[in-house]
Amino acid sequence: MRIFKILILITVVATLGACTSKFKTYNGPEVTRVLIFKEQRKLYLMNGDNYLRAYDIELGFAPAGHKEFEGDGRTPEGEYTIDRRNPNSAFYLSIGISYPNANDRAAARALGKSPGGDIFIHGGRRPGDPKRPDWTAGCISVSNKQMRDIYAMVNDGTSISIFP
């Protein structure tokens, strides 16, 4: 009986040790800015002028040009801020981008449309999502493993610049 209890205890400890949390901690230099280069499909985490990390990205299903209205499939371009976090995202983890700003709302209104919203940097595809490159509805996607790093490193209030 004693051996059985020890085996159960070892199994429980091994199982708990094998579980990995999607939440990481980061104690390195502060990320002061996120840079997105749509044409190169790259995301850079910066500390001042110093590059910290780079990631390959996927974009909205119509990647060329600035997002004009809800449903156009484009990823916004311009200056924004990381303004929220979603630990329960349908896309693993996500951090929100402050799109639309006042200019985005005015431009969409001039077209008689809604600018849309809910633009995030988020984890990878879910089952059933398109298998083609640039598959999101306007968000920026990285792998789930990369999203764990980004979620830990980037704080709300961080500037994000999205270039064509």
Side-chain angles (χ1 to χ4, degrees), residues 31-59:
V31 174
T32 57
R33 190 169 181 202
V34 177
L35 303 176
I36 304 284
F37 292 90
K38 288 171 54 174
E39 187 173 338
Q40 290 83 19
R41 304 299 191 276
K42 286 288 192 186
L43 178 154
Y44 296 92
L45 301 181
M46 306 293 293
N47 173 267
D49 292 332
N50 298 316
Y51 145 86
L52 299 173
R53 302 247 178 105
Y55 302 96
D56 293 329
I57 60 172
E58 293 181 318
L59 302 168

Side-chain angles (χ1 to χ4, degrees), residues 33-37 76-81 158-163:
R33 190 169 181 202
V34 177
L35 303 176
I36 304 284
F37 292 90
E77 297 170 357
E79 300 297 321
Y80 300 95
T81 303
T158 303
S159 297
I160 178 169
S161 300
I162 306 173
F163 299 99

